[in-house]
Amino acid sequence: MSTTTTKTPSNPAPWKSAFLSHLDKMDSPEFVLSTLHPATTSTSSSSAPTPYLPRARFCIFRGFWAELPENKHNTAPRNPHVYASDLPTFTTDVRMLKVPEVFATSSGAATETGGASAQGPEERGQSRGSGGGGPVEAVWWVKDVMTQWRVRGQAFVVGEDIDEDGAGTSGVRTVKSEVGARMRVVEGMEGKEGEWSWGKELTGHFGNISPGMRGSFRAPPPGRPTSEAYDDQNLKPGMKVEDLHDSYARRNFRVVIIEPEEVEQLDLSDPATARRQYYSFEKSTGNWKHEELWP
């Protein structure tokens, strides 16, 4: 993780408006998320010539951090609209491999997760809480406008420990420092920062998903053999969870925040005018640099 001090952006990213207008054209804002998986933990690739192997899966965009999408079915108390950001989010289960992957590939992996050999829920250390910072890439294909969006950056995980009293763990401090630096105060809301809560935003995301989706966080352990014993009294497939503070579901629920460093918009709608718009974030200024490239 870079030690360069990040200047908080004063304006929305120049690509954000077009990005959102394109996602509005999708039936579901699904994207492919790629992470790096420590090769030493792969049973099928023990002789891999590189320390990391790629992993990709589909996820669903859940809005930008601090800009929780409106949902009339969500009964969770909402934060006041104090902050805005250009940080895409998605939700996941801490038991999924993508969580320890963004911890194991972060600059603090040696101390946070025990290094690249960490795997499985029992060995993940601080990956059970907030933290991370490993590299990710997210790709959307918007067929209606024949445009591909690619976002590269670091991923940070928000867990239930995010609002613990005191300074919190090193992971909590990392999230609040790195993500907080990219959260700008909305005009007219200056001085109201203390009314905004990380924990309330986390619960808001939990409330924004359906009861069936919430129930998936009380499903049997993902990726484990069905022949293995597990807590079948509290973890069952196909459950629906109405309680926004269900202890079993919330224990596994996470919001992941992508902190973009590079964004590409590849317009293939007309071969004669196809272009790639490339944006890179400059930490020292809090501004985005833009270049137009050939596709």
Side-chain angles (χ1 to χ4, degrees), residues 90-94 99 127-130 157-161 202 217 249-256:
F90 63 93
T91 57
T92 192
D93 192 314
V94 73
V99 174
S127 67
R128 293 292 301 183
S130 302
V157 179
V158 179
E160 285 191 295
D161 60 343
L202 178 65
F217 297 98
R250 290 298 301 270
R251 189 178 303 160
N252 295 322
F253 177 75
R254 299 291 184 273
V255 172
V256 183

Side-chain angles (χ1 to χ4, degrees), residues 84-140:
S85 80
D86 309 311
L87 312 177
T89 65
F90 63 93
T91 57
T92 192
D93 192 314
V94 73
R95 300 172 296 175
M96 298 288 192
L97 285 176
K98 65 176 81 66
V99 174
E101 285 166 357
V102 300
F103 274 83
T105 56
S106 70
S107 62
T111 58
E112 292 182 351
T113 64
S117 64
Q119 64 171 348
E122 292 76 26
E123 296 95 353
R124 291 174 188 171
Q126 287 190 11
S127 67
R128 293 292 301 183
S130 302
V136 297
E137 181 170 283
V139 178
W140 287 259

Side-chain angles (χ1 to χ4, degrees), residues 1-5 283:
M1 191 180 301
S2 173
T3 57
T4 302
T5 301
K283 285 191 171 186

